[in-house]
Amino acid sequence: MERSIRLFSAPFLLLLLLLAPEMGTVSVEGRTCESKSHHFKGMSLSERNCATICHTEGFHGGRCRGFRRRGFCTKHC
C-alpha cells in the first residue's frame, strides 16, 4: 500500500511542478481612454499618421476611425 502511494505521489508532484508557473500567470489589461485629437485636421487613410500626431500631443497612441477617418488618441487610464 505504501509503495502505491509513492508511485502515485511522485508523478503528481512532478505534474504540479510543471503546471505551477502557468497557474500563477494572469494577464491583466488596463483601461484605455480615448480622446479626439486636437491637432489632427482633415481625413487620413493612414493609421500611422494618426498615431504620430497623437504622440506629438503626449498620448501613447492613436488611430483613425469613423466614416470621415478622424484621429482619435489613446492613453492608459
Side-chain angles (χ1 to χ4, degrees), residues 9 19 29 37-38 41 45 50 54 65:
S9 63
L19 295 178
E29 291 185 22
S37 172
H38 297 287
K41 302 292 182 208
L45 299 176
C50 291
C54 289
R65 67 174 198 165

Side-chain angles (χ1 to χ4, degrees), residues 25 41 43 63 70:
T25 306
K41 302 292 182 208
M43 188 169 102
R63 62 188 182 119
R70 300 291 181 187

Side-chain angles (χ1 to χ4, degrees), residues 5-61:
I5 292 174
R6 282 189 185 170
L7 285 174
F8 176 73
S9 63
F12 182 72
L13 287 174
L14 183 63
L15 183 66
L16 279 177
L17 288 174
L18 292 174
L19 295 178
E22 284 154 33
M23 291 174 72
T25 306
V26 177
S27 176
V28 177
E29 291 185 22
R31 292 185 347 185
T32 302
C33 296
E34 194 173 65
S35 173
K36 188 175 178 196
S37 172
H38 297 287
H39 298 143
F40 189 83
K41 302 292 182 208
M43 188 169 102
S44 175
L45 299 176
S46 169
E47 293 287 329
R48 187 174 184 184
N49 188 25
C50 291
T52 304
I53 296 295
C54 289
H55 280 289
T56 63
E57 293 181 28
F59 289 91
H60 293 278

